[in-house]
Amino acid sequence: MKNVFTIFTAPVETFRRVRESKTAWLFALAAMIIVSVVVIYMQMPVIEKEFLRQIQSQSVDASMQSTMMATAKTSAYVMGVVMPVITIFVTGLLLLLLNLVVRGEGKYMQFVSIAAYAALPGLLGSLITGIMIMTMDVQSVTDVSLSLGALVSDKSSAMYQFLSLMNPFSIWGLVLYIIGSSVMMKRPYKSVAVWIIAAWLVLSLGSLLLV
């Protein structure tokens, strides 16, 4: 559990300890799931308002609206539990591929640990956003942002999507991916940084094309 906190202050030492542990990823995953559920709970009143506006515009009767709302709420919480699990194991596979490319010495579960711990800064950012949503009068979850996207008024624009990538917590997580990969693979930072940053840019910019 100590590693969940020291990853923010001493990432190199933390990843070195994690490298020698077979269960360290479980604590980070538990933190991911707990924070994800808490954030969803914080955002739920605003999410309900958004969803209600959508179904009301479709002329759905009252009983069906209630059923749809309950289903949407349940789905949100289920995804809050399932997505962190899927994310760290899929990311672990991608890092395993990188390990082969740079001829590293890491193992799959070590890469799963990297994914779990590197996600924690992003969750911290989500927690801060959730608190802001709870304490501010907002109509949509996109009304609150810690990224440069907050400078754009049109939340549906391509510029907003692009500037939203410039989030300090996301970049913090990216740095942890580089540090963790270097430690687990026993390769220089430069060797892994080039590949990880390139992959991040491809995935991030590619996602913009799908919006």
Side-chain angles (χ1 to χ4, degrees), residues 3-68:
N3 295 324
V4 172
F5 299 98
T6 59
I7 192 65
F8 296 102
T9 57
V12 175
E13 290 77 7
T14 300
F15 278 122
R16 284 173 180 167
R17 287 196 301 271
V18 169
R19 191 177 194 280
E20 304 304 321
S21 173
K22 295 181 179 180
T23 59
W25 65 275
L26 288 171
F27 296 103
L29 177 59
M32 289 176 67
I33 292 174
I34 292 171
V35 174
S36 294
V37 172
V38 169
V39 170
I40 291 171
Y41 175 79
M42 290 177 168
Q43 297 178 342
M44 189 54 68
V46 177
I47 293 174
E48 287 179 338
K49 290 179 183 177
E50 288 186 89
F51 188 68
L52 187 59
R53 285 195 296 268
Q54 293 177 8
I55 59 180
Q56 285 179 338
S57 65
Q58 300 173 5
S59 301
V60 179
D61 63 78
S63 61
M64 184 60 70
Q65 286 183 17
S66 178
T67 301
M68 292 174 67

Side-chain angles (χ1 to χ4, degrees), residues 62-81:
S63 61
M64 184 60 70
Q65 286 183 17
S66 178
T67 301
M68 292 174 67
M69 183 68 74
T71 302
K73 290 174 63 176
T74 302
S75 298
Y77 284 111
V78 170
M79 293 304 292
V81 174

Side-chain angles (χ1 to χ4, degrees), residues 70-104:
T71 302
K73 290 174 63 176
T74 302
S75 298
Y77 284 111
V78 170
M79 293 304 292
V81 174
V82 174
M83 285 307 297
V85 178
I86 295 175
T87 299
I88 67 170
F89 282 100
V90 171
T91 304
L93 286 174
L94 296 176
L95 291 175
L96 181 61
L97 178 61
L98 174 59
N99 183 66
L100 296 175
V101 172
V102 301
R103 298 183 180 181

